[in-house]
Amino acid sequence: MNLKGKHFLTLKDYSKEEILYLVDLAKQLKEEKKAGEYHYHLKNKNICLIFEKTSTRTRCAFEVAGHDEGAHVTFLSNSQMGYKESIEDTAKVLGRMYDGIEFRGFAQKTVEDLAKYSGAVVWNGLTDVDHPTQTLADFLTIKEHLHKPLNEVKFVFVGDIRNNVAYGLAYGACKVGIDFVLLGPDALQVDPEVQAYCEKEAKASGGSFTISHDLDVLKDADVVYTDIWVSMGEDESLYAPRVEMLKPYKITKELMAKTGKETTLFMHCLPSFHDFETEAARLKKEKGLDIREVEDDVFRSKQSVVFDEAENRMHTIKAVMVATLGD
């Protein structure tokens, strides 16, 4: 499998075999790191990380993964890109200095333009419509805990079914043959182009793609996944109507029991509102609004693998960089 020089902008650009290869490579690199083996596949490579949006896992994962493999990493959050300098001009400048560029921000077009104009390998760390590195981390986590092929997994994403994490997971799941379900209120409509693409890919891979508002679809789920109800960059005024709309889909013990399986994994991309220990959740509670998308007893349960997912962001991001840029 030769992916050197290939951008990582969306899993729509990757085949089933390429996606599974990246997951397997991540598993190998994780085992090597645990054993203290370092091969420095990115030695003397220069990597630039561009962040329009705040980050914990994505920034730390790219930095640690880069350093583990011998790269020099620059974190760039105060450039003139898009303000005094166009995306195209910035891309051409950075491409003269860096071998790889990561972008985490708002518009998918920005990461596509960086790839178009820079001449460097470009990786998508998150946009408003996709989150492909998260999907790879989730696939690795599922394989570690369920011990069966991904194409035998039933995966139910619950809640805000038209956000970037949901769409990124849908693209990857339908590529590799997962039985994938988006479970949420009728009021939240999936982009028709996303739906059509996923239905087509699921049919080709032998998986399935379903959109439902009925909690009965949780039956036999191997994975129950959710995300916060108001995404980064959305207006604060959305909290009240979004909570009212989504509270029937809050992840509780009762909801998890609907799968009929004690082995069902609870997954979340993080950060999560699962208690009132964050300023955001606490302030909203004082105004009478419970913004928790999952209850604490599920988040901290034995079924929860959320921190394994968080760690696996680093291993799968490392795999992407090694495969597309490494020597």
Side-chain angles (χ1 to χ4, degrees), residues 94-322:
L94 295 178
R96 300 292 184 98
M97 303 179 186
Y98 291 96
D99 305 291
I101 300 170
E102 178 271 351
F103 173 79
R104 176 185 174 92
F106 296 95
Q108 181 74 15
K109 186 178 186 300
T110 302
V111 76
E112 292 171 354
D113 284 348
L114 287 169
K116 181 178 179 180
Y117 296 115
S118 69
V121 177
V122 174
W123 309 296
N124 182 353
L126 175 144
T127 64
D128 283 345
V129 296
D130 211 336
H131 200 0
T133 61
Q134 180 66 50
T135 300
L136 290 184
D138 295 333
F139 287 177
L140 176 59
T141 307
I142 291 168
K143 290 193 70 172
E144 289 175 337
H145 285 274
L146 293 183
H147 308 294
K148 64 179 181 180
L150 290 173
N151 62 3
E152 295 179 10
V153 169
K154 180 177 180 180
F155 189 123
V156 183
F157 183 98
V158 185
D160 181 2
I161 58 175
R162 21 99 284 168
N163 71 12
N164 49 5
V165 175
Y167 286 179
L169 285 165
Y171 298 145
C174 293
K175 285 272 190 175
V176 302
I178 288 173
D179 291 328
F180 189 78
V181 181
L182 290 174
L183 172 60
D186 283 341
L188 294 180
Q189 296 293 315
V190 174
D191 186 309
E193 291 186 11
V194 173
Q195 181 176 348
Y197 177 86
C198 290
E199 288 173 347
K200 176 184 175 183
E201 291 297 324
K203 184 177 181 180
S205 69
S208 65
F209 178 74
T210 305
I211 301 171
S212 178
H213 65 274
D214 189 344
L215 294 174
D216 288 344
V217 299
L218 288 160
K219 178 67 174 173
D220 296 325
D222 296 296
V223 175
V224 172
Y225 197 116
T226 197
D227 191 5
I228 57 174
W229 289 343
V230 176
S231 296
M232 191 184 309
E234 290 190 312
D235 194 276
E236 289 273 318
S237 65
L238 289 173
Y239 271 108
R242 198 68 62 77
V243 167
E244 183 64 26
M245 182 191 306
L246 290 170
K247 62 185 179 182
Y249 300 94
K250 178 180 287 187
I251 309 300
T252 63
K253 282 188 174 181
E254 292 74 22
L255 184 143
M256 292 293 291
K258 289 182 178 295
T259 69
K261 300 168 70 170
E262 295 183 356
T263 56
T264 302
L265 303 179
F266 169 69
M267 302 183 71
H268 195 300
C269 56
L270 302 183
S272 168
F273 295 125
H274 59 93
D275 56 23
F276 299 102
E277 297 302 313
T278 63
E279 182 178 358
R282 188 167 57 250
L283 290 175
K284 289 293 186 292
K285 184 184 180 185
E286 291 172 359
K287 296 179 180 179
L289 203 59
D290 183 352
I291 64 173
R292 295 176 302 155
E293 73 280 357
V294 54
E295 292 188 346
D296 201 46
D297 55 1
V298 175
F299 186 88
R300 299 184 187 277
S301 70
K302 291 181 179 179
Q303 291 173 274
S304 175
V305 294
V306 297
F307 295 109
D308 290 342
E309 291 177 78
E311 177 188 341
N312 283 338
R313 290 294 306 287
M314 187 264 291
H315 302 298
T316 46
I317 281 170
K318 184 186 294 186
V320 168
M321 292 197 295
V322 167

Side-chain angles (χ1 to χ4, degrees), residues 16-60:
K16 172 183 178 178
E17 292 74 23
E18 289 170 335
I19 293 169
L20 295 178
Y21 166 74
L22 289 172
V23 174
D24 288 342
L25 177 59
K27 180 177 182 293
Q28 174 190 330
L29 295 171
K30 181 175 182 177
E31 291 171 351
E32 290 174 356
K33 181 178 173 73
K34 300 293 185 185
E37 300 176 13
Y38 295 92
H39 299 286
Y40 306 112
H41 298 289
L42 300 173
K43 185 178 181 180
N44 294 328
K45 300 296 185 183
N46 292 294
I47 293 170
C48 182
L49 310 181
I50 303 174
F51 282 73
E52 290 180 340
K53 291 187 175 183
T54 56
S55 174
T56 299
R57 279 148 297 278
T58 302
R59 176 182 175 178
C60 295

